[in-house]
Amino acid sequence: MFFPRILERTVCDTLRPGKVVLLLGARRVGKTVLVRRIADRFASESMLLNGEDHVTFELLKTRSIDRYRRLIGSKTLVIIDEAQKIEGIGVIAKLMIDEIPGLRMILTGSSAFDLSNRFGEPLTGRKITVHLYPLSYLEFSQNESILETTSRLEERMVFGCYPEVWQYNDRQARILYLNELAQDYLLKDILQYEGIRSASKISDLLRLIAFQIGKEVSYDELGRQLGLTKNTVEKYLDLLTKVFVLFKVRGFSRNLRKEVSKSSRWYFYDTGIRNIFTTNFNELALRPDVGELWENYVIAERLKALEYRQIFANTYFWRTYDQQEIDWIEERDGRLFAYELKWGIKKFAFPRHGIKRIRMRLFRLFSRIIILNGWKVREN
């Protein structure tokens, strides 16, 4: 089963002589499959190398322009998968780009902090960064009818959208795969970073975050529950964002004293991974957390859509101390757009007070189809 990735065309359109496209994403989201397809598109022009292969390492470790010219030959596109495995890859890529006219490069990596540290100064002004996430609604809908997409919504909320999950038809096989993914792949980068050995603390932190979706997170409280300092909690959360497990949404404020602005909410990039840490894969009718699960799913999908459609926006939640709140706010083109997310057949209204000059309107978060079951909004 293969789902075409939106980023395939984006990356191809972004390729420029003298530029490096840096493709980042969590492990197992499909970066290797994507760059292989791009290599096939440019079959006569491209060279695909694997950064985990010892032969590739030996070919590139000697920093010699003549050696690189002989290696590349007449190719105009060099793709290095898992590029962070190659020591000094930033300097190597800079030499190639600067000294070989017309050369284009794609480098992939599963860890943002690893690649950033290894690139550092060398590729400043020479790289374009794009992110690949688990499969999105936009990508599923390219191969499915409206009825198919709607009927599979519940499964995707429960098991998430990692490509390999959908190679299994068996519920237990999906759970086993997600458990292996969470424990052996997604946390691997963190545990190797600076010699961090607290695998159980990282897992416990993720478990606590999984039960606080849609709520402000207190680093002090998390620290007390985990036996960690506030600074250590913040450090671990920062690392979890850099390996694409979690992302943070800040509070919105116009400096009104009654607004919550210093707190943050945390979400999982993938709800299947979130459910691993709650150990709950029940169908939605049996779940007490369906509202939180829906909120996480929709916000993660919106984040993917913003990235893939190259819509630049600041994103927030909004809440006052007297409990008025809006789940998702986008600030773009000098305007504010506010969205409330609810699961179930309910009517509700946006708050009438607090935020000024916001044009409240129903926004279809997904193209061509409303899959928001029971989402009814009254515009104010």
Side-chain angles (χ1 to χ4, degrees):
M1 186 185 300
F2 174 76
F3 293 93
R5 306 308 299 265
I6 291 172
L7 274 191
E8 181 175 337
R9 193 169 96 179
T10 302
V11 171
C12 291
D13 291 344
T14 304
L15 290 172
R16 299 284 186 277
K19 293 290 185 181
V20 177
V21 176
L22 179 57
L23 175 62
L24 298 177
R27 294 175 184 267
R28 316 300 292 180
V29 293
K31 297 184 301 296
T32 299
V33 173
L34 176 57
V35 293
R36 284 177 178 169
R37 284 180 59 85
I38 293 172
D40 289 342
R41 271 196 178 202
F42 298 89
S44 62
E45 307 170 48
S46 67
M47 170 183 290
L48 177 59
L49 303 172
N50 187 339
E52 295 182 311
D53 181 35
H54 181 70
V55 174
T56 298
F57 175 78
E58 290 296 321
L59 287 171
L60 298 180
K61 72 175 183 179
T62 302
R63 296 175 190 173
S64 164
I65 297 301
D66 288 338
R67 183 183 179 93
Y68 294 155
R69 285 198 181 104
R70 289 196 301 270
L71 171 65
I72 295 171
S74 62
K75 305 295 185 183
T76 59
L77 174 61
V78 172
I79 303 171
I80 305 178
D81 195 21
E82 296 296 341
Q84 80 274 9
K85 300 293 184 180
I86 300 173
E87 189 67 32
I89 184 60
V91 175
I92 291 170
K94 176 182 180 297
L95 284 173
M96 289 183 177
I97 285 293
D98 287 352
E99 300 297 332
I100 302 176
L103 183 64
R104 301 163 295 172
M105 295 188 72
I106 301 173
L107 306 181
T108 81
S110 57
S111 167
F113 61 73
D114 198 355
L115 274 174
S116 296
N117 288 343
R118 289 177 184 269
F119 279 0
E121 183 65 25
L123 288 179
T124 300
R126 298 172 176 85
K127 63 183 174 69
I128 301 166
T129 304
V130 294
H131 298 90
L132 184 66
Y133 300 106
L135 288 162
S136 69
Y137 165 79
L138 297 173
E139 290 162 328
F140 283 125
S141 66
Q142 293 177 115
N143 281 356
E144 297 175 339
S145 68
I146 290 176
L147 290 177
E148 287 173 325
T149 303
T150 304
S151 66
R152 292 168 183 166
L153 171 62
E154 178 172 336
E155 277 189 301
R156 287 168 185 162
M157 288 173 62
V158 173
F159 294 106
C161 299
Y162 272 85
E164 197 167 336
V165 167
W166 299 101
Q167 310 303 319
Y168 303 103
N169 293 319
D170 177 71
R171 177 180 181 275
Q172 190 61 28
R174 289 175 177 172
I175 295 173
L176 290 173
Y177 172 75
L178 285 169
N179 186 65
E180 180 185 6
L181 179 65
Q183 301 301 330
D184 295 343
Y185 286 96
L186 296 183
L187 302 186
K188 185 177 180 180
D189 287 325
I190 291 180
L191 299 180
Q192 291 177 346
Y193 181 67
E194 289 188 352
I196 292 175
R197 301 182 184 276
S198 305
S200 61
K201 294 292 187 183
I202 296 288
S203 295
D204 290 344
L205 175 59
L206 285 167
R207 190 169 295 109
L208 291 174
I209 294 295
F211 284 107
Q212 295 188 45
I213 298 300
K215 302 179 180 68
E216 289 82 69
V217 169
S218 166
Y219 301 139
D220 287 319
E221 182 182 343
L222 290 175
R224 286 193 295 271
Q225 294 185 61
L226 296 169
L228 300 172
T229 66
K230 175 185 175 182
N231 288 342
T232 301
V233 169
E234 290 187 81
K235 175 184 176 181
Y236 284 176
L237 287 171
D238 181 58
L239 294 178
L240 286 163
T241 65
K242 290 176 177 176
V243 294
F244 309 101
V245 177
L246 298 176
F247 62 93
K248 178 171 70 172
V249 178
R250 296 173 294 153
F252 177 87
S253 176
R254 281 290 186 253
N255 297 318
L256 299 181
R257 295 177 64 182
K258 65 179 182 178
E259 293 176 341
V260 175
S261 60
K262 294 183 179 179
S263 298
S264 299
R265 294 180 179 180
W266 289 83
Y267 298 91
F268 285 77
Y269 278 106
D270 186 77
T271 52
I273 299 300
R274 185 256 180 187
N275 289 334
I276 279 290
F277 290 100
T278 63
T279 62
N280 187 351
F281 286 92
N282 288 332
E283 59 187 65
L284 300 187
L286 302 176
R287 299 183 68 109
D289 63 344
V290 65
E292 293 85 352
L293 186 62
W294 174 241
E295 182 175 331
N296 195 144
Y297 177 81
V298 172
I299 288 177
E301 285 298 314
R302 182 58 182 163
L303 197 69
K304 297 174 195 176
L306 291 174
E307 177 88 21
Y308 292 161
R309 289 172 169 169
Q310 298 182 321
I311 300 171
F312 301 100
N314 296 320
T315 57
Y316 311 92
F317 73 92
W318 176 79
R319 186 173 72 81
T320 65
Y321 289 108
D322 57 2
Q323 303 306 311
Q324 291 190 85
E325 67 176 345
I326 297 173
D327 295 323
W328 184 253
I329 291 176
E330 293 176 12
E331 184 180 28
R332 43 190 164 87
D333 299 325
R335 301 166 67 194
L336 294 173
F337 301 83
Y339 313 103
E340 184 70 9
L341 314 176
K342 297 295 181 185
W343 179 267
I345 302 175
K346 295 179 180 178
K347 287 186 177 181
F348 60 92
F350 285 120
R352 293 181 179 275
H353 311 291
I355 298 182
K356 306 299 182 182
R357 301 186 307 276
I358 295 182
R359 182 183 177 189
M360 306 294 189
R361 70 177 187 180
L362 175 62
F363 180 79
R364 298 188 180 213
L365 286 172
F366 310 105
S367 63
R368 298 191 314 230
I369 170 180
I370 298 178
I371 61 170
L372 315 186
N373 289 5
W375 186 5
K376 295 183 180 180
V377 179
R378 188 173 76 219
E379 181 176 335
N380 290 319

